[in-house]
């Protein structure tokens, strides 16, 4: 090793230490001083972002003024005081009202940022430009558990020079599948540091295209770089490893900047000690537990790993497993447990049902059924989460193989006619429709470089990240069969832009995606779901129909799920309606809590 090379490491480490020291000093100093010919920063500056106020704490000379502003936080809003120089002073002055946000601040130096040469595939990024865009952004916020913004706010601020909204739009469907907000600090308060910040990066959980989040971050960075900003900051929860990995990949580096927030129901998970074993809850149980906490309902986790918990308030106690509760009778559960029984019950109630038979030892009977209906579905009589289900079978070999697979899960296997259309889930609580969603089978999009198995693995990682690990695409015989129908194998390399449906079933647990259609569901479909719930006499149920379209009246009944996943239907208020059913008097408490009329 040369002498010059051996000396490079110490110089590099020294330079890095110097840069970090300078960054720390700059981050902690007030920004109100003028630098050069720049105007001095405005004092007590903040920007209303719709979800709350972004408060620039470094522009407040008196901590008492900053605390007063935080105390006046609006109902159901999340104010953030960023660049707090002395967070310990604020916390000591109002420990019951504010807390130190457990987030890291990352900074991208725009002078050294280099744009990517790769272009987005399957989507493009543009400015938010319509009220429809605003509603779509709110839908994404809701699906991610974020505070929603009045659509009028987006629209009224479309020309606000301090706030920039970008959205990602699917090229084929025109759907908004991602969003990010940028704040220009110079235009917000004459920031001498010429800073900017990124907020509300959110991607539609059902989006199928890779790299949407990265594309939005890069677009915002290029936007601020063109404006002459020096850096772009963002705040990310300390345990959000996936997001942190993305930001570090793009060149963001952590800076010693602190944020302070108010203790309110929205932020409760960030400052209140979690329940023991809370992290073991799946997303379906966690959604209900979080809503119970917001209402002041006592929660006891009886078996977190399996999703069991007990809710108690005012002498009333209800034991639940996710959305299944003591209110659902054993008889109703038994009806739902056996798909053949469920079908007979709802058929007597007047619902349209598909032709069905039990797979037996007579191949001629099976062949005749297949010949009569041309395409069939095979499923175990008992089972859930799409396991053992094969759809769109049109030949005896595949039919026998599917029966064998289903037989491993249940000794009785059902074969029924295949109804071409979309898979619609209608969620009924207390015999009222709360949500309706179309479930679509998993598909991948070729990029001309990777094999099908690699594309499936990448899509599975995205689905798992979006659903708390609940949704992945199995690499099994059924996936291989569906690929074969499309003319591909696991080792095929599809051309760029080619879409391949890798399974025929649309179940979330086998990689399917779910899309809210509550507002457009045809009245006849809603009526069928309510009839089925009353026939089974079950207070909480997911009714599955195959439909031509959610806006048309044609359907056939598929099955009823006695433990539907409430988390799959956001932005609809599924957990709220479930708690209204269990504890009818608890709703007003939640409202009072949110409006600030009740002590925390």
């Amino acid at each position: 090793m040369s002498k010059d090379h051996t000396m490079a490491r110490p110089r590099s480490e020294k330079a890095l230490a110097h840069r970090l020291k300078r960054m720390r000093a700059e981050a902690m100093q007030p920004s109100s001083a003028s630098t050069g010919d720049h105007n001095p920063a405005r004092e007590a500056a903040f920007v209303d972002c719709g979800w709350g106020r972004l408060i620039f704490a470094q522009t407040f000379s008196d901590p008492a003024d900053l605390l007063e502003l935080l105390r006046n936080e609006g109902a159901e809003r999340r104010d953030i005081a960023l660049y707090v120089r002395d967070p310990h002073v604020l916390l000591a002055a109002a420990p019951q009202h504010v807390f130190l946000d457990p987030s890291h601040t990352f900074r991208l130096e725009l002078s050294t940022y280099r744009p990517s040469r790769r272009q987005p595939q399957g989507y493009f990024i543009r400015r938010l430009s319509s009220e429809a865009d605003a509603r779509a952004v709110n839908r994404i916020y809701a699906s991610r558990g974020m505070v929603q913004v009045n659509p009028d706010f987006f629209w009224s601020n479309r020309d606000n020079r301090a706030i920039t909204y970008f959205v990602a739009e699917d090229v084929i469907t025109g759907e908004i599948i991602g969003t990010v907000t940028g704040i220009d600090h110079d235009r917000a308060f004459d920031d001498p540091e010429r800073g900017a910040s990124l907020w509300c990066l959110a991607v539609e959980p059902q989006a199928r295209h890779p790299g949407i989040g990265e594309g939005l971050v890069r677009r915002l960075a290029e936007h601020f770089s063109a404006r002459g900003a020096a850096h772009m900051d963002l705040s990310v929860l300390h345990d959000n490893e996936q997001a942190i990995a993305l930001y570090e990949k793009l060149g963001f580096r952590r800076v010693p900047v602190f944020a302070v927030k108010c203790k309110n129901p929205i932020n409760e998970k960030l400052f209140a000690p979690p329940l023991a074993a809370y992290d073991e809850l799946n997303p379906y149980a966690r959604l209900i537990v979080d809503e119970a906490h917001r209402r002041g309902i006592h929660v006891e986790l009886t078996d977190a790993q399996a999703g069991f918990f007990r809710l108690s308030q005012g002498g009333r106690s209800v034991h639940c497993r996710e959305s299944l509760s003591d209110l659902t009778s054993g008889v109703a559960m038994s009806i739902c447990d056996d798909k053949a029984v469920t079908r007979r019950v709802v058929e007597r109630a007047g619902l349209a049902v598909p032709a069905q038979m039990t797979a037996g030892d007579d191949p001629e009977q099976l062949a005749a059924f297949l010949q009569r209906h041309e395409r069939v579905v095979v499923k175990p009589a008992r089972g859930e989460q799409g396991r053992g289900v094969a759809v769109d079978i049109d030949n005896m070999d595949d039919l026998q193989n599917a029966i064998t697979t289903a037989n491993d899960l249940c000794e009785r296997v059902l074969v029924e006619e295949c109804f071409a259309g979309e898979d619609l889930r209608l969620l009924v609580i207390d015999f009222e429709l709360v949500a309706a969603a179309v479930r679509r089978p998993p598909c991948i999009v070729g990029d001309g470089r990777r094999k099908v198995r690699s594309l499936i693995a990448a899509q599975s990682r995205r689905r798992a990240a979006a659903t708390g690990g609940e949704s992945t695409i199995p690499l099994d015989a059924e996936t291989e069969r569906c690929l074969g129908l499309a003319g591909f194998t696991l080792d095929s390399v599809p051309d760029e832009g080619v879409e391949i449906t890798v399974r025929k079933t649309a179940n979330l647990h086998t990689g399917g995606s779910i899309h809210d259609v509550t507002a457009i569901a045809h009245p006849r479909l809603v009526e069928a779901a309510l009839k089925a719930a009353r026939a089974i006499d079950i207070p909480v149920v997911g009714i599955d129909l195959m439909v031509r379209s959610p806006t048309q009246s044609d359907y056939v009944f598929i099955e009823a799920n006695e433990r539907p996943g409430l988390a799959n239907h956001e932005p609809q208020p599924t957990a709220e309606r479930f708690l209204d059913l269990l504890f009818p008097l608890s709703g007003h408490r939640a409202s009072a809590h949110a409006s600030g009329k009740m002590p925390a």
Side-chain angles (χ1 to χ4, degrees):
M1 185 179 289
S2 69
K3 182 177 179 181
D4 288 344
H5 193 74
T6 59
M7 292 297 291
R9 180 182 293 271
R11 282 201 302 269
S12 176
E13 291 178 352
K14 185 176 181 180
L16 176 61
H18 174 72
R19 287 198 300 272
L20 289 174
K21 181 177 180 181
R22 184 182 65 187
M23 186 180 293
R24 184 178 300 109
E26 290 175 353
M28 299 302 288
Q29 72 183 8
S31 293
S32 56
S34 174
T35 57
D37 58 356
H38 198 286
N39 295 326
R42 293 196 292 273
E43 295 185 2
F46 65 86
V47 173
D48 186 356
C49 299
W51 40 261
R53 294 170 296 190
L54 174 59
I55 302 169
F56 298 98
Q58 74 272 39
T59 65
F60 286 74
S61 56
D62 188 344
D65 293 337
L66 177 56
L67 273 176
E68 182 62 25
L69 187 61
L70 283 168
R71 287 181 186 276
N72 291 325
E73 180 182 58
E76 299 185 59
R77 288 292 176 264
R78 175 181 282 168
D79 287 352
I80 302 173
L82 192 62
Y83 308 107
V84 179
R85 291 190 298 275
D86 300 312
H88 53 290
V89 174
L90 288 185
L91 267 59
Q96 300 302 317
H97 191 78
V98 297
F99 69 99
L100 187 63
D101 182 36
S103 295
H104 295 322
T105 303
F106 281 79
R107 173 168 294 175
L108 179 67
E109 297 292 346
L110 295 176
S111 60
T112 58
Y113 168 74
R114 295 294 177 267
S116 173
R117 294 181 179 179
R118 294 184 60 187
Q119 295 299 312
Q121 295 182 353
Y123 67 94
F124 61 94
I125 296 171
R126 60 171 175 79
R127 292 282 193 106
L128 183 146
S129 61
S130 69
E131 293 187 52
D133 287 349
R135 290 193 295 272
V137 167
N138 260 338
R139 175 180 50 78
I140 296 175
Y141 285 175
S143 70
R144 292 299 189 177
M146 299 162 65
V147 179
Q148 296 184 59
V149 177
N150 188 321
D152 291 340
F153 181 89
F154 284 118
W155 193 240
S156 63
N157 280 272
R158 65 189 183 280
D159 296 323
N160 188 326
R161 291 168 60 82
I163 306 178
T164 301
Y165 301 106
F166 284 114
V167 295
E169 179 179 326
D170 189 293
V171 170
I172 296 175
T173 66
E175 291 181 287
I176 301 302
I177 54 177
T179 179
V180 70
T181 301
I183 305 294
D184 188 325
H185 298 183
D186 192 23
R187 300 188 181 194
F189 66 98
D190 294 325
D191 180 15
E193 304 299 326
R194 294 184 297 108
S197 54
L198 177 156
W199 299 93
C200 299
L201 175 65
V203 175
E204 164 62 52
Q206 317 302 335
R208 54 195 174 151
H209 304 293
I212 298 171
E214 177 178 341
L216 286 162
V217 174
R218 287 188 178 279
R219 180 67 183 87
L220 192 62
E222 291 155 19
H223 167 74
F224 283 134
S225 179
R227 278 191 173 186
H231 59 259
M232 182 170 75
D233 293 347
L234 59 83
S235 181
V236 57
L237 280 174
H238 70 96
D239 57 357
N240 191 343
E241 297 177 359
Q242 186 180 19
I244 290 173
L246 168 63
Y247 299 139
E248 290 180 338
K249 167 190 167 185
L250 296 178
F252 285 83
R253 295 292 177 263
R254 187 177 161 190
V255 292
V257 169
F258 302 104
V260 168
K261 295 178 180 176
C262 296
K263 290 184 175 180
N264 60 29
I266 295 173
N267 292 325
E268 185 174 2
K269 290 185 289 186
L270 301 178
F271 64 83
L275 287 167
Y278 176 83
D279 290 339
E280 296 179 28
L281 292 172
N282 62 34
Y284 309 112
R286 191 174 299 167
L287 182 76
I288 299 168
V289 167
D290 289 345
E291 175 63 19
H293 270 147
R294 280 191 287 271
R295 296 185 180 215
I297 296 171
H298 176 71
V299 179
E300 175 192 357
L301 302 184
T302 52
D303 189 330
Q305 192 170 6
F308 286 92
F309 51 89
R310 185 181 299 278
L311 304 177
S312 304
Q313 186 185 58
R316 179 177 173 80
S317 178
V318 183
H319 206 181
C320 304
R321 183 182 187 188
E322 300 163 13
S323 64
L324 178 66
S325 74
D326 292 337
L327 276 63
T328 296
S329 71
V331 171
M333 275 193 64
S334 297
I335 293 172
C336 293
D337 181 55
D338 191 317
K339 294 177 175 63
V341 174
T342 315
R343 177 184 176 278
R344 292 196 295 269
V345 168
V346 301
E347 184 179 20
R348 286 195 293 268
L351 272 72
V353 297
Q356 186 184 88
M357 67 170 288
T358 300
D361 298 326
D362 187 350
E364 291 184 2
Q365 194 177 20
L366 274 175
F369 190 88
L370 177 60
Q371 183 177 12
R372 184 161 59 252
H373 299 291
E374 298 182 349
R375 296 180 180 276
V376 298
V377 176
V378 173
K379 55 189 177 184
R382 287 185 170 138
E384 59 181 4
Q385 300 182 347
R387 288 190 288 264
V389 178
V391 176
D392 201 20
I393 293 175
D394 63 357
N395 63 83
M396 282 299 294
D397 287 341
D398 285 347
L399 179 55
Q400 292 288 7
N401 291 336
I403 291 171
T404 300
T405 300
N407 230 170
D408 292 337
L409 300 172
C410 180
E411 63 181 15
R412 190 157 48 90
V413 176
L414 304 176
V415 181
E416 64 184 30
E417 66 174 314
C418 185
F419 182 94
E422 294 190 282
D423 185 335
L424 178 68
R425 161 64 64 88
L426 298 112
L427 178 66
V428 178
I429 298 179
D430 200 15
F431 306 106
E432 292 184 358
L433 181 75
V434 174
V438 167
R439 301 187 294 182
R440 293 179 181 144
C443 70
I444 56 173
V445 181
D447 59 9
R449 297 179 295 107
R450 289 180 290 177
K451 293 181 178 180
V452 165
R453 70 170 71 248
S454 176
L455 293 169
I456 290 176
Q459 178 71 348
S460 279
R461 286 193 296 272
R462 288 193 293 274
R463 297 297 300 129
T467 60
E470 293 293 312
S471 181
T472 56
I473 305 170
L475 289 174
D476 58 10
E478 177 61 12
T479 296
E480 291 188 73
R481 183 185 76 84
C482 294
L483 286 171
L485 292 174
F488 296 91
T489 70
L490 288 172
D491 293 318
S492 300
V493 179
D495 292 338
E496 183 175 338
V498 172
E499 285 193 25
I500 307 168
T501 299
V502 298
R503 289 181 81 88
K504 294 292 185 178
T505 53
N507 194 282
L508 180 79
H509 293 86
T510 53
S513 57
I514 190 161
H515 308 264
D516 182 68
V517 294
T518 308
I520 61 172
H522 193 280
R524 185 165 182 257
L525 306 180
V526 175
E527 180 188 12
L530 300 184
K531 274 187 179 180
R534 292 191 186 97
I536 301 168
D537 195 18
I538 186 168
V540 179
V541 65
I543 301 297
D544 295 340
L545 308 177
M546 287 299 296
V547 301
R548 302 292 183 200
S549 163
T551 61
Q552 297 178 14
S553 61
D554 293 344
Y555 77 91
V556 293
F557 172 88
I558 301 300
E559 63 183 53
N561 189 323
E562 77 279 3
R563 183 163 51 100
L566 304 187
N568 297 335
H569 292 279
E570 293 181 313
Q572 302 305 327
T574 56
E576 291 93 322
R577 298 293 82 79
F578 181 68
L579 268 296
D580 288 345
L581 170 69
L582 269 54
F583 297 92
L585 300 180
S586 65
H588 77 281
R589 182 182 178 90
S591 299
H593 221 47
S595 65
K597 297 177 182 178
M598 185 174 287

